[in-house]
């Protein structure tokens, strides 16, 4: 109802401002006041509080429509008659800010850019008038430093690949406008003074390049170049040297933007090293005083001391390295320890949930460190303790923090890793509400240990929670696949395979989700480890269902080479009487031929050839048949360039000794292994 009233009031104002007889009185003076229009614009801007990008863009556009109507009225009305309906800089900045935070991406940035362009065009048009003409026109408002910074910010948040270059163009436009105004400063007709960039201007440009940096270091390199150029200019200014152009003193906010660019670049180790280098550079500049003393009277001079965001960004950079050795986690831990020590010493630095979570994540990724999960949980406990000690709820662990610890235990190779993951989940339930990721991470830990009963209990618990209204923890495809993986790694053998097959069929009949390639792979693996004499046939039945669905266009599952390899492996592991093994070999050979006929699924690789050769060795009726088949398969493998060290050893170990001389008397030809990674070649 309130929005409808706002819409109606906006339409009334627009109709009046667009030239109806109610717009001005008999003396040509506007009947509508600036305050009246500004109040409606403010109400539209208040829609930005709603967590809906469409609503935010709608509010910004409605505000701009009123602004455009005011611009038209400003140009058409006679100022000498007393017209006062002229938008001011604050009006423009309100609309620009609305677009900048609207979440409207490129469209919002382009709207903001067009508003700035209109402002400058209006100013230049007015400034070119003779004094006598200016008297009869309202003076258009001049863009301020806030105006330029807000447009730069809109580009930084646009998500566009050209965000960095467009932000720099706005900065260049700002400089050009300032110099235009300065050149006219002695002219009595000059109506404007221009706007000088401040530290927020450069930080905005850097943030725009940081957004461009996603998965590339081009933007990060540009940010670094800008920062180094600014540092050099400020150094020379402090030394009393002549410096061309505008000089803005770098501060910690600009360094944070540069570090963020490298964090966002996705270059992992290199990005972390660059972030660490920028932190060292910041600390050195703060100690040396090369850029001059901090001006306490200047609110933009926030100094060069690393702050909470600086150190949190560096921790995040190391956490993103995904370093299994633990070195990245150690660097992240060092920074977290530094933050705690600085805080206890009274510095304006305090670790927050972001820095704690990033450090925990770094340890969770340290797969080669035996006690990585313990160290991750120790940080979690420190976080809880610090939150209580400082009575600071912002430090209380969130579900994201707890999930990072659960993940650390799920990835651990310790025998008690799954029970520890479960324990952390219980601890998390006492602090906050776990989400689907929390439960799925514990399911993953169970799966790796083959704990079927625990998986079934947790799965049932998730179902009960969702049935009681907690739809966020409703079992997902990941949940079900973890259960199937638990069955494939369990010691339930035939019982486990039957359970998995039955569960898969239930999934196929579900309305809300369907099994994916991982689901079918897990069930075929279950049959491969079942020890059932009919395991080859049962695994083949699963594969036939996948192929039938694919050929009929049902579902999204596309078979791949690995699925065929899993089927061949299930055939190779068949025990039982001669007939069972013979049938298994036939199915393995048929699966291999099917894969060759369906190149869209991928050609056989070394792993596939190795699985087939194993099936031949285990299931052939006699040595003569095995030798004949092995020769035929090995020739195909060599022609495909897929002979690796395992395939060669398997072949030579299972054929008569004379074959060694026949095939590799002069060494292994390079072409036999040309499609195998170098480290796996014979």
């Amino acid at each position: 109802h309130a929005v409808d009233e706002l819409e109606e009031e906006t339409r009334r104002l627009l109709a009046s401002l667009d030239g109806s007889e109610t717009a001005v009185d008999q003396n040509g003076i506007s009947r509508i006041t600036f305050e009246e229009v500004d109040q409606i614009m403010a109400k539209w801007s208040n829609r930005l509080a709603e967590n809906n990008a469409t609503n935010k863009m709608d509010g910004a556009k409605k505000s701009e429509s009123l602004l455009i109507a005011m611009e038209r009225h400003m140009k058409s009305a006679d100022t000498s008659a007393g017209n006062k309906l002229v938008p001011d800089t604050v009006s423009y900045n309100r609309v620009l800010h609305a677009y900048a935070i609207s979440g409207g991406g490129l469209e919002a940035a382009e709207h903001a850019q067009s508003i700035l362009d209109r402002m400058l065009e209006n100013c230049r048009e007015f400034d070119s008038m003779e004094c006598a003409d200016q008297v009869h026109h309202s003076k258009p408002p001049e863009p301020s430093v806030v105006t330029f910074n807000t447009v730069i910010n809109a580009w930084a948040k646009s998500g566009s690949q050209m965000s960095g270059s467009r932000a720099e163009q706005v900065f260049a436009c700002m400089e050009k406008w300032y110099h235009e105004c300065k050149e006219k400063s002695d002219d009595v007709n000059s109506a404007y003074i221009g706007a000088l960039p401040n530290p927020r201007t450069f930080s905005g440009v850097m943030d725009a390049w940081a957004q461009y940096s996603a998965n590339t270091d081009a933007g990060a390199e540009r940010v670094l170049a800008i920062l180094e150029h600014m540092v050099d200019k400020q150094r020379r200014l402090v030394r009393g040297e002549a410096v061309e152009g505008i000089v803005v003193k770098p501060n910690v906010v600009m360094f944070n933007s540069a570090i963020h660019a490298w964090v966002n670049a996705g270059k992992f180790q290199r990005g972390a090293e660059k972030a660490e280098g920028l932190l060292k550079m910041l600390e050195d500049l703060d100690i040396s005083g090369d850029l001059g003393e901090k001006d306490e009277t200047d609110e933009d001079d926030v100094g060069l001391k690393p702050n909470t965001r600086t150190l949190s960004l560096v921790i995040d950079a190391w956490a993103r390295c995904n370093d299994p050795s633990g070195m990245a986690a150690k660097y992240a831990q060092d920074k977290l320890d530094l933050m705690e020590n600085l805080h206890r010493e009274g510095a304006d630095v305090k670790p927050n949930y972001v820095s704690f979570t990033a450090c925990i994540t770094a340890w969770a990724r340290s797969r080669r460190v035996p006690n990585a999960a313990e160290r991750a949980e120790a940080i979690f406990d420190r976080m809880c303790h610090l939150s209580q000690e400082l009575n600071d709820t912002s430090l209380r662990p969130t579900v994201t923090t707890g999930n990072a610890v659960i993940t650390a235990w799920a990835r651990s190779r310790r025998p008690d890793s799954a029970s520890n993951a479960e324990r952390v989940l219980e601890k998390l339930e006492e602090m906050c509400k776990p989400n689907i990721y929390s439960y799925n991470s514990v399911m993953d830990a169970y799966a790796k240990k083959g704990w079927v009963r625990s998986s079934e209990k947790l799965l049932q618990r998730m179902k009960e929670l969702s049935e009681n209204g907690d739809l966020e923890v409703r079992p997902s495809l990941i949940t079900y696949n973890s259960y199937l993986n638990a069955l494939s790694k369990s010691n339930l053998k035939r019982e486990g395979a039957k359970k998995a097959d039955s569960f898969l069929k239930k999934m196929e009949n579900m309305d809300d989700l369907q099994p994916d390639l991982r689901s079918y792979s897990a069930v075929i693996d279950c049959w491969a480890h079942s020890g059932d004499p009919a395991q080859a046939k049962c695994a083949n039945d699963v594969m036939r269902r996948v192929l039938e669905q694919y050929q009929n266009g049902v579902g999204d599952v596309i078979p791949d080479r690995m699925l065929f390899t899993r089927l061949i492996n299930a055939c190779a592991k068949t025990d039982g009487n001669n007939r069972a093994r013979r049938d298994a070999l036939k199915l393995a050979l048929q699966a291999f031929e099917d894969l060759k006929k369906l190149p869209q699924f991928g050609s056989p690789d070394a792993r596939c050839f190795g699985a087939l050769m194993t099936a031949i060795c285990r299931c052939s009726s006699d040595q003569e048949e095995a030798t004949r088949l092995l020769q035929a398969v090995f020739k195909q493998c060599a022609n495909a360039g897929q002979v690796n060290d395992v395939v060669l050893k398997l072949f030579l170990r299972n054929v008569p000794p004379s074959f060694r001389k026949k095939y590799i008397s002069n060494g292994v030809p390079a072409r036999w292994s040309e499609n195998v990674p170098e480290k796996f070649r014979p």
Side-chain angles (χ1 to χ4, degrees), residues 191-452:
Y192 302 106
I193 60 173
L196 278 170
N198 61 17
R200 291 185 180 88
T201 312
F202 286 95
S203 294
V205 173
M206 291 179 179
D207 286 338
W209 278 114
Q211 295 303 318
Y212 172 79
S213 284
N215 299 317
T216 174
D217 57 3
E221 290 286 8
R222 180 58 187 153
V223 170
L224 186 59
I226 292 170
L227 181 63
E228 289 176 339
H229 181 62
M230 292 177 67
V231 168
D232 180 62
K233 287 177 74 172
Q234 180 66 21
R235 270 201 181 109
R236 287 190 284 124
L237 183 68
V238 171
R239 290 197 297 259
E241 300 175 15
V243 181
E244 292 184 5
I246 299 170
V247 179
V248 174
K249 182 181 178 182
N251 60 25
V252 64
V253 177
M254 297 183 197
F255 273 86
N256 289 348
S257 295
I259 293 171
H260 179 239
W262 281 107
V263 172
N264 207 38
K267 293 300 179 182
F268 304 116
Q269 186 76 21
R270 183 165 182 255
E273 289 170 355
K274 287 285 188 178
E276 188 79 31
L278 283 163
L279 173 61
K280 180 69 167 58
M281 180 181 175
L282 178 64
E283 291 171 332
D284 290 346
L285 288 171
D286 180 49
I287 294 170
S288 68
D290 284 358
L291 303 188
E293 297 298 323
K294 180 181 177 182
D295 185 353
E296 301 293 346
T297 64
D298 184 358
E299 65 176 15
D300 286 326
D301 190 355
V302 294
L304 291 162
K305 287 191 180 299
N307 58 23
T308 298
R309 178 164 170 76
T310 316
L311 294 168
S312 295
L313 282 168
V314 176
I315 291 172
D316 190 26
W318 285 115
R320 295 189 186 205
C321 284
N322 200 16
D323 173 24
S325 73
M327 287 304 299
K330 184 178 181 304
Y331 283 121
Q333 178 93 55
D334 289 344
K335 296 298 174 292
L336 184 63
D337 294 343
L338 174 62
M339 292 179 81
E340 287 195 62
N341 292 335
L342 288 172
H343 179 70
R344 295 185 189 282
E345 292 170 4
D348 188 22
V349 174
K350 183 177 74 172
N352 54 26
Y353 84 93
V354 174
S355 48
F356 274 108
T357 303
C359 192
I360 290 170
T361 300
W363 282 115
R365 291 171 174 169
S366 304
R367 294 182 297 277
R368 295 179 193 164
V369 180
N371 65 340
E374 287 179 296
R375 300 188 73 160
E377 190 170 356
I379 296 170
F380 180 82
D381 292 338
R382 273 170 55 189
M383 187 179 182
C384 296
H385 176 73
L386 194 61
S387 173
Q388 294 173 351
E389 179 187 334
L390 302 177
N391 193 25
D392 187 347
T393 56
S394 69
L395 277 173
R396 190 173 184 180
T398 64
V399 64
T400 305
T401 317
N403 288 348
V405 182
I406 294 173
T407 300
W409 279 115
R411 291 174 177 173
S412 173
R413 296 178 181 176
R414 278 182 36 167
D416 59 349
S417 59
S419 56
N420 279 315
E422 181 181 37
R423 178 178 52 76
V424 175
L425 175 62
E426 293 170 354
K427 187 189 295 187
L428 190 61
E429 286 175 324
E430 297 174 2
M431 298 180 180
C432 58
K433 180 174 167 291
N435 57 21
I436 185 68
Y437 187 88
S438 315
Y439 291 102
N440 282 346
S441 295
V442 176
M443 286 289 289
D444 180 49
Y446 291 154
K448 289 174 180 175
K449 298 296 181 184
W451 288 8
V452 175

Side-chain angles (χ1 to χ4, degrees), residues 7-297:
E7 290 270 13
E8 181 58 36
E9 187 64 18
T10 302
R11 281 193 291 270
R12 183 187 68 79
L13 289 174
L14 288 173
S16 298
L17 290 169
D18 283 344
S20 73
E21 63 278 2
T22 59
V24 295
D25 62 18
Q26 59 185 1
N27 297 317
I29 299 177
S30 173
R31 294 181 185 275
I32 303 170
T33 65
F34 167 77
E35 289 74 16
E36 187 178 2
V37 180
D38 194 59
Q39 185 181 34
I40 299 301
M41 291 173 67
K43 287 182 179 179
W44 278 117
S45 296
N46 288 339
R47 294 202 77 192
L48 300 172
E50 301 177 25
N51 190 24
N52 184 303
T54 302
N55 287 347
K56 290 180 179 181
M57 275 295 287
D58 185 49
K61 288 178 179 179
K62 287 293 194 306
S63 290
E64 186 184 8
S65 67
L66 289 168
L67 181 64
I68 292 171
M70 288 175 72
E71 286 177 330
R72 284 198 297 266
H73 191 72
M74 173 184 69
K75 289 184 177 182
S76 62
D78 188 347
T79 305
S80 62
N83 176 59
K84 299 297 183 184
L85 187 57
V86 179
D88 60 10
T89 302
V90 175
S91 307
Y92 280 95
N93 289 348
R94 176 184 285 121
V95 179
L96 289 170
H97 179 68
Y99 277 123
I101 67 170
S102 69
L106 180 60
E107 182 188 2
E110 288 175 336
H111 272 280
Q113 183 69 57
S114 67
I115 292 171
L116 174 61
D117 293 342
R118 287 204 313 271
M119 286 186 78
L120 291 170
E121 182 182 351
N122 291 338
C123 290
R124 288 183 174 116
E125 182 180 343
F126 182 82
D127 214 23
S128 65
M129 292 180 183
E130 297 294 335
C131 289
D133 293 331
Q134 288 181 347
V135 172
H136 298 283
H137 291 80
S138 299
K139 177 185 174 183
E142 177 180 14
S144 65
V145 62
V146 173
T147 310
F148 285 102
N149 288 353
T150 307
V151 178
I152 288 172
N153 188 39
W155 280 113
K157 294 181 177 180
S158 69
S160 169
Q161 283 293 302
M162 57 184 179
S163 58
S165 59
R166 292 302 299 268
E168 279 210 53
Q169 288 172 18
V170 176
F171 172 71
C173 179
M174 184 182 191
E175 281 194 307
K176 181 181 178 182
W177 173 244
Y178 174 76
H179 289 302
E180 280 182 30
C181 295
K182 190 175 180 181
E183 288 172 4
K184 294 182 179 180
S185 60
D186 296 330
D187 187 342
V188 293
N189 290 329
S190 180
Y192 302 106
I193 60 173
L196 278 170
N198 61 17
R200 291 185 180 88
T201 312
F202 286 95
S203 294
V205 173
M206 291 179 179
D207 286 338
W209 278 114
Q211 295 303 318
Y212 172 79
S213 284
N215 299 317
T216 174
D217 57 3
E221 290 286 8
R222 180 58 187 153
V223 170
L224 186 59
I226 292 170
L227 181 63
E228 289 176 339
H229 181 62
M230 292 177 67
V231 168
D232 180 62
K233 287 177 74 172
Q234 180 66 21
R235 270 201 181 109
R236 287 190 284 124
L237 183 68
V238 171
R239 290 197 297 259
E241 300 175 15
V243 181
E244 292 184 5
I246 299 170
V247 179
V248 174
K249 182 181 178 182
N251 60 25
V252 64
V253 177
M254 297 183 197
F255 273 86
N256 289 348
S257 295
I259 293 171
H260 179 239
W262 281 107
V263 172
N264 207 38
K267 293 300 179 182
F268 304 116
Q269 186 76 21
R270 183 165 182 255
E273 289 170 355
K274 287 285 188 178
E276 188 79 31
L278 283 163
L279 173 61
K280 180 69 167 58
M281 180 181 175
L282 178 64
E283 291 171 332
D284 290 346
L285 288 171
D286 180 49
I287 294 170
S288 68
D290 284 358
L291 303 188
E293 297 298 323
K294 180 181 177 182
D295 185 353
E296 301 293 346
T297 64

Side-chain angles (χ1 to χ4, degrees), residues 536-549:
K537 178 184 179 304
C538 294
N540 187 64
D541 289 344
V542 175
M543 173 62 87
R544 292 306 117 189
R545 295 210 304 271
V546 177
L547 291 174
E548 183 179 344
Q549 290 173 16

